[in-house]
Amino acid sequence: MKNRSLIERTGFALAGWYAAFRRERSFRAHVLMVALAVAVLLVLRPEPLWWAIIAIICALVAAIELVNSAIEALADLLHPDVHPEIKAVKDMVAGAVLAVSVGAIVVAAALVVDHWSHIAGALSRVTGR
């Protein structure tokens, strides 16, 4: 697989995204959250810095979920039976996903706080209050 063209390597990466989307419910959930984040950005129209922060955190969450899924698939293939060390490895990688996901929630909360007046105004127009 060494010395492949950029197009071929990109194809491999996209195939990995497709495999994760097809096989992993967690990856699909993260993709849905990315779509939600983009929708919120389109509605709030924050400064470009917020777009960059959200893009980075979304990429981190998706990337670590891909790593988690890959490690779990490999571990299950190599050792299908329950083993304490395999469980520990899988738990640690799941913990990494949780850590980055908590960071994403903190970023989302910061965006809401920074744009609260805009959000409150939009909600009052929708509810008529």
Side-chain angles (χ1 to χ4, degrees), residues 44-47 50 109-121:
L44 292 180
R45 294 186 307 241
E47 299 77 24
W50 276 112
L111 177 66
V112 167
V113 167
D114 193 43
H115 288 80
W116 181 249
S117 62
H118 183 89
I119 295 167

Side-chain angles (χ1 to χ4, degrees), residues 1 9 48 70 77 92 103:
M1 291 290 216
R9 292 181 310 214
L77 178 67
M92 285 184 259

Side-chain angles (χ1 to χ4, degrees), residues 47-61:
E47 299 77 24
L49 182 59
W50 276 112
W51 284 84
I53 292 168
I54 299 295
I56 290 168
I57 199 73
C58 286
L60 282 171
V61 170

Side-chain angles (χ1 to χ4, degrees), residues 60-122:
L60 282 171
V61 170
I64 200 67
E65 182 58 44
L66 286 165
V67 169
N68 178 49
S69 296
I71 289 172
E72 285 185 351
L74 183 60
D76 290 343
L77 178 67
L78 296 176
H79 202 291
D81 298 327
V82 176
H83 187 279
E85 288 303 310
I86 297 293
K87 181 185 180 320
V89 167
K90 291 167 78 172
D91 288 350
M92 285 184 259
V93 181
V97 174
L98 179 61
V100 176
S101 296
V102 169
I105 291 168
V106 170
V107 169
L111 177 66
V112 167
V113 167
D114 193 43
H115 288 80
W116 181 249
S117 62
H118 183 89
I119 295 167

